[in-house]
Amino acid sequence: MTERKKHGVTFESFVDKQIREAQEQGAFENLEGAGKPIPKGTGPHDELWWIKGYLKRENLSTDALLPESLQLRKEIEKLPAVLIDMRLEESVRSHLHDLNARVVAWIRVPSPPLIPISPVDVDAWVEQWRVNRAAVDAAARASRASSPGSSAAPTTRPGWWQRLRARCAR
């Protein structure tokens, strides 16, 4: 809306004027879905077809629709799978501290449903990550060593960035 309604002009006539001017300028021509029926869902909850389409179109998870307490609980449950993909202890600690900050913020001002949630023990999770990460790395080394066409010893020295990354990961 580019102009404001003038005093004394009725609201309906102001809106009608805006629409008419937009039509004259061609603002409603070549719109996506013009002349087609509004899409409907085929499932048992047809009234939610628009939000399902929005989530699919924006590539969002349905977890975004959950209350904050349930989101936090689900995130805590998924921690092992999330942490195992992280390569650096610093990243793991950062993720856990961020999660704890959000849990503490929710505890200070809880919103329903009130589900018991407490901050995670960062040191315990980091120790578990170290054990899991060592097992994953050992399995990866074993699979590389046993794959056909590969030798047990590397033929070239790793680059400086790989040596630095390995040193930082310790």
Side-chain angles (χ1 to χ4, degrees), residues 6 8 13-15 22 29-30 37 42-43 58 64 66 71 76 80 82 84-85 102 115 129 138 145 149 156 166:
K6 294 182 176 39
S13 64
F14 176 72
V15 171
E29 295 175 10
N30 300 324
T42 57
E58 298 295 326
L66 293 174
Q71 287 178 5
I76 291 171
V82 171
I84 198 68
D85 293 334
R102 288 185 284 131
I115 296 174
W129 170 81
T156 60

Side-chain angles (χ1 to χ4, degrees), residues 22-165:
Q23 283 176 333
E24 290 171 359
Q25 294 172 1
F28 299 118
E29 295 175 10
N30 300 324
L31 293 176
E32 180 183 340
K36 298 177 185 172
I38 296 175
K40 296 279 185 177
T42 57
H45 302 288
D46 285 345
E47 65 275 3
L48 300 177
W49 64 268
W50 59 272
I51 196 155
K52 289 178 183 176
Y54 176 76
L55 291 173
K56 186 176 180 181
R57 193 172 51 249
E58 298 295 326
N59 197 22
L60 296 174
S61 169
T62 55
D63 291 349
L65 302 175
L66 293 174
E68 187 178 8
S69 58
L70 292 175
Q71 287 178 5
L72 291 169
R73 175 63 73 88
K74 283 186 90 170
E75 190 171 343
I76 291 171
E77 288 175 3
K78 293 179 183 178
L79 268 179
V82 171
L83 296 181
I84 198 68
D85 293 334
M86 296 184 181
R87 303 284 302 166
L88 300 174
E89 182 177 333
E90 179 182 308
S91 301
V92 173
R93 287 188 181 276
S94 173
H95 182 78
L96 293 172
H97 285 301
D98 177 55
L99 176 62
N100 277 345
R102 288 185 284 131
V103 168
V104 168
W106 181 82
I107 290 171
R108 286 184 181 147
V109 184
S111 58
L114 301 178
I115 296 174
I117 301 173
S118 61
V120 297
D121 183 1
V122 174
D123 293 328
W125 276 102
V126 168
E127 187 58 37
Q128 183 64 39
W129 170 81
R130 284 184 190 137
V131 171
N132 293 345
R133 191 73 230 168
V136 167
D137 290 343
R141 281 192 300 273
S143 69
R144 280 194 307 260
S146 66
S147 66
S150 68
S151 61
T155 57
T156 60
R157 183 177 177 203
W160 64 270
W161 63 93
Q162 292 168 332
R163 293 191 306 271
L164 179 63
R165 183 182 292 165

Side-chain angles (χ1 to χ4, degrees), residues 8-22:
V9 177
T10 64
F11 185 75
E12 185 175 50
S13 64
F14 176 72
V15 171
D16 289 338
K17 179 184 172 204
Q18 293 286 316
I19 292 172
R20 183 179 45 76
E21 289 176 355

